[in-house]
């Protein structure tokens, strides 16, 4: 029994020395917190970088789309302006022709012809004179 008694304190001392030789729980906890903090800070930095890259890419795409839309708008506006000017020129020609016709009708109207065209009356007179000339020519033959 005596031997057991002597070996027991010696075994306890061995355990105490083994504990002091290993890492302390405080050091393990500090390393663990440091690793987690570093991971969190790295994740925050990386997400910020990704956000900045995405914002830059979206800005470039938006700028390109706006430029393309502006070019399309300018092309359509130029085409519409050209078409408008062409249509306006055609319309002006029609208006001028109508004005000439109205002026001609106004100049040739009189109360004697019952508001009919004076040119028709003049043509009628010329036709009568022509018929008369034909008759005279027939008589001369």
């Amino acid at each position: 029994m005596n031997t057991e008694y002597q070996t027991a304190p010696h075994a306890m001392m061995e355990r105490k020395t083994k504990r002091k030789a290993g890492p302390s729980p405080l050091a393990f906890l500090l390393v663990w917190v440091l690793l987690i903090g570093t991971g969190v800070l790295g994740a925050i930095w990386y997400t910020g970088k990704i956000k900045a890259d995405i914002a830059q890419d979206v800005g470039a795409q938006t700028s390109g789309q706006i430029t393309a839309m502006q070019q399309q708008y300018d092309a359509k506006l130029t085409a519409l302006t050209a078409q408008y000017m062409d249509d306006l020129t055609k319309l002006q020609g029609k208006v001028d022709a109508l004005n000439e016709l109205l002026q001609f009708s106004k100049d040739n109207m009189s109360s004697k012809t019952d508001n009919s065209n004076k040119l028709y009356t003049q043509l009628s007179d010329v036709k009568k004179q022509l018929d008369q000339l034909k008759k005279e020519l027939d008589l001369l033959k």
Side-chain angles (χ1 to χ4, degrees):
M1 249 185 70
N2 211 0
T3 53
E4 284 181 32
Y5 180 68
Q6 289 178 354
T7 57
H10 181 61
M12 284 181 135
M13 284 196 146
E14 258 184 47
R15 283 187 196 165
K16 284 183 181 177
T17 57
K18 283 186 181 177
R19 269 192 186 167
K20 287 190 178 185
S24 71
L26 183 61
F28 176 74
L29 186 62
L30 285 174
V31 169
W32 186 74
V33 168
L34 182 66
L35 285 175
I36 289 175
T38 305
V40 168
L41 289 176
I44 291 171
W45 172 79
Y46 185 70
T47 54
K49 184 178 184 247
I50 294 295
K51 282 181 185 178
D53 289 346
I54 289 173
Q56 186 178 9
D57 289 345
V58 167
Q61 288 175 358
T62 303
S63 175
Q65 289 174 349
I66 288 173
T67 302
M69 287 175 60
Q70 182 68 34
Q71 290 173 349
Q72 289 174 353
Y73 174 78
D74 289 342
K76 286 181 181 178
L77 186 62
T78 303
L80 286 174
T81 302
Q83 184 181 1
Y84 170 74
M85 294 304 280
D86 186 44
D87 290 347
L88 192 61
T89 303
K90 288 178 183 177
L91 184 63
Q92 185 62 42
K94 289 179 182 180
V95 167
D96 290 343
L98 183 62
N99 280 338
E100 288 176 10
L101 182 62
L102 288 174
Q103 187 65 35
F104 177 76
S105 295
K106 179 181 170 187
D107 290 345
N108 290 322
M109 293 193 52
S110 70
S111 60
K112 291 180 185 176
T113 57
D114 208 336
N115 290 335
S116 59
N117 195 341
K118 191 173 183 180
L119 180 62
Y120 178 77
T121 308
Q122 289 173 352
L123 284 174
S124 204
D125 290 343
V126 169
K127 188 176 181 182
K128 286 180 188 176
Q129 289 176 359
L130 226 115
D131 287 340
Q132 201 173 28
L133 283 173
K134 280 183 186 178
K135 286 179 187 176
E136 289 177 10
L137 273 175
D138 286 339
L139 289 176
L140 288 174
K141 281 186 183 180

